[in-house]
Amino acid sequence: MNRWWSVSPSLAIVKYWGKLDPERNLPATPSLAVGLDGFKTRTRAFLTDGEDLVCLNGELQNPGRFEPFFSYFRKVRGTTRGFRVETENNFPESAGLASSSSGFAAMSLACLDCLEGFPQRDPDRSLASRIALRGSASAARAVFGGFTVLYAGKNEAFQLYPSTWWPEFRIIVVTVDPGKKPLSSRKAMELTRKTSPFYTSWLKDATLLFHEASTALANRNMESLGRAAVASYSRMFATMFGANPPIHYWQPESIALIRSCQELRKRGVGAWETMDAGPQVKVFCIEKDSAVILDEFSSLNLEIEITVTKPSADPIPERE
Ligand code: DP6
């Protein structure tokens, strides 16, 4: 039997934005991330003698996006076989909810699993991370649960802490618009790298922010972690505003939510927002603060969907 793999998207606390080596898809900045429990990509794979096919939510996908992933996979695993992949998401894709991270991570685990033949030992996570990175660099992190790191210039992520590291840690995911984003993160980060005058400053500053965030996480210090997270996404967007043409993912609701977090912080409530390549807002907080944050967001009377979640555990195959 070919096992289904369930993988959660990897939400960056400190962001990867820009490539050091576009050919090998190596990131130019270090990232620190957390998996989102309850958000899932479910995937299984079959070996074929024909071309690779990926079916997402029942729809056959354009093969171009998957070619670097499969050719690297075949090279490192020394096979000429093709793959048929079935995959589905329980959350909107291409909307800034990191679906490519869970998508390529699940595909990497499922393809390794089916090549090795069940029953066998579980796929090597380091290898899965290297293969997933060829699809999406953020996917290198998503093959692990908990808190993860991908260093600049590296082709493999690792788990810094398991999901149990910080039991009170919560992530409030606010979906502002589940529609597909106008520009993929891949295209947006390349445009930023090539045209934004702020890009070099972003690179210079990224390592410092990464160290601040890692120390805060080691000490379970939400305020320091939150400050680094807010600085990271704000500076990432500053590079995008400087691109030519400028890139704008935010919507009025996104700004209302950012302001709401700022107001909450003035009142002593630790609500630390972040955003990715899309209009959705995610908020890091401690469990005891989540109810007041939810009340505050509800009082804004916006058309939004709110989910409170925690760090995801390591991805495992579903039981037969
Ligand atoms: C803003 O990993 O989707 O979510 O490697 O080109 O596929 P590619 O990019 P991708 O970019 C993620 C960007 C981000 C920040 C992050 O997850 O670190």
Side-chain angles (χ1 to χ4, degrees):
M1 259 319 277
N2 298 58
R3 303 188 289 181
W4 286 98
W5 284 78
S6 273
V7 176
S8 294
S10 170
L11 170 65
I13 303 170
V14 171
K15 309 293 180 187
Y16 143 56
W17 192 255
K19 295 175 199 296
L20 197 65
D21 178 347
E23 183 72 16
R24 292 194 292 155
N25 205 28
L26 303 181
T29 60
S31 54
L32 173 69
V34 61
L36 297 176
D37 189 45
F39 290 74
K40 291 282 177 219
T41 296
R42 230 178 134 245
T43 302
R44 66 177 173 171
F46 300 86
L47 284 169
T48 72
D49 291 320
E51 60 200 34
D52 304 313
L53 297 174
V54 177
C55 216
L56 168 64
N57 298 334
E59 269 182 42
L60 203 56
Q61 301 298 295
N62 182 338
R65 178 72 180 89
F66 301 95
E67 201 278 321
F69 170 93
F70 285 119
S71 52
Y72 183 71
F73 188 105
R74 277 190 277 275
K75 193 172 127 200
V76 289
R77 290 301 287 103
T79 178
T80 52
R81 305 294 302 271
F83 292 93
R84 180 167 63 78
V85 174
E86 292 171 14
T87 181
E88 56 201 33
N89 289 322
N90 72 354
F91 63 98
E93 50 269 350
S94 309
L97 287 169
S99 60
S100 67
S101 68
S102 49
F104 280 107
M107 213 154 86
S108 178
L109 290 163
C111 290
L112 281 172
D113 202 24
C114 96
L115 186 68
E116 271 145 38
F118 181 74
Q120 75 283 314
R121 59 186 177 82
D122 276 346
D124 174 345
R125 302 279 163 149
S126 301
L127 177 61
S129 179
R130 288 200 292 281
I131 295 170
L133 179 129
R134 290 297 173 121
S136 249
S138 55
R141 303 183 311 236
V143 302
F144 307 99
F147 296 90
T148 55
V149 165
L150 175 62
Y151 285 128
K154 294 287 179 206
N155 68 348
E156 183 181 322
F158 63 93
Q159 184 179 71
L160 187 60
Y161 300 111
S163 58
T164 49
W165 171 249
W166 194 346
E168 303 81 23
F169 192 92
R170 293 290 177 275
I171 311 109
I172 303 177
V173 179
V174 188
T175 308
V176 159
D177 179 353
K180 294 212 188 315
K181 56 194 168 200
L183 189 65
S184 71
S185 45
R186 173 156 300 186
K187 285 190 178 141
M189 71 172 78
E190 276 299 271
L191 186 65
T192 306
R193 182 173 72 85
K194 288 180 179 150
T195 66
S196 177
F198 308 141
Y199 184 67
T200 40
S201 319
W202 156 252
L203 294 185
K204 228 190 268 168
D205 183 66
T207 308
L208 194 68
L209 273 185
F210 174 81
H211 287 302
E212 277 172 24
S214 309
T215 306
L217 185 58
N219 296 322
R220 300 188 187 89
N221 182 331
M222 182 49 88
E223 178 162 353
S224 302
L225 186 69
R227 283 193 195 291
V230 168
S232 180
Y233 94 88
S234 303
R235 290 171 197 178
M236 176 181 81
F237 278 101
T239 66
M240 288 189 234
F241 296 152
N244 185 15
I247 303 161
H248 298 118
Y249 284 115
W250 299 5
Q251 290 187 9
E253 293 86 346
S254 322
I255 297 178
L257 289 157
I258 292 173
R259 294 236 165 98
S260 179
C261 289
Q262 289 168 346
E263 283 306 314
L264 282 160
R265 294 203 288 274
K266 277 190 203 151
R267 286 167 26 204
V269 179
W272 304 95
E273 82 283 358
T274 189
M275 291 181 67
D276 295 280
Q280 331 309 347
V281 178
K282 302 100 182 182
V283 179
F284 303 114
C285 68
I286 293 300
E287 187 188 12
K288 71 169 176 50
D289 286 332
S290 62
V292 52
I293 299 171
L294 290 186
D295 281 354
E296 194 65 25
F297 288 173
S298 304
S299 74
L300 298 173
N301 284 321
L302 300 171
E303 269 197 43
I304 51 180
E305 199 185 306
I306 307 179
T307 310
V308 183
T309 187
K310 53 185 179 27
S312 59
D314 291 351
I316 47 163
E318 284 177 19
R319 286 173 165 278
E320 296 306 315

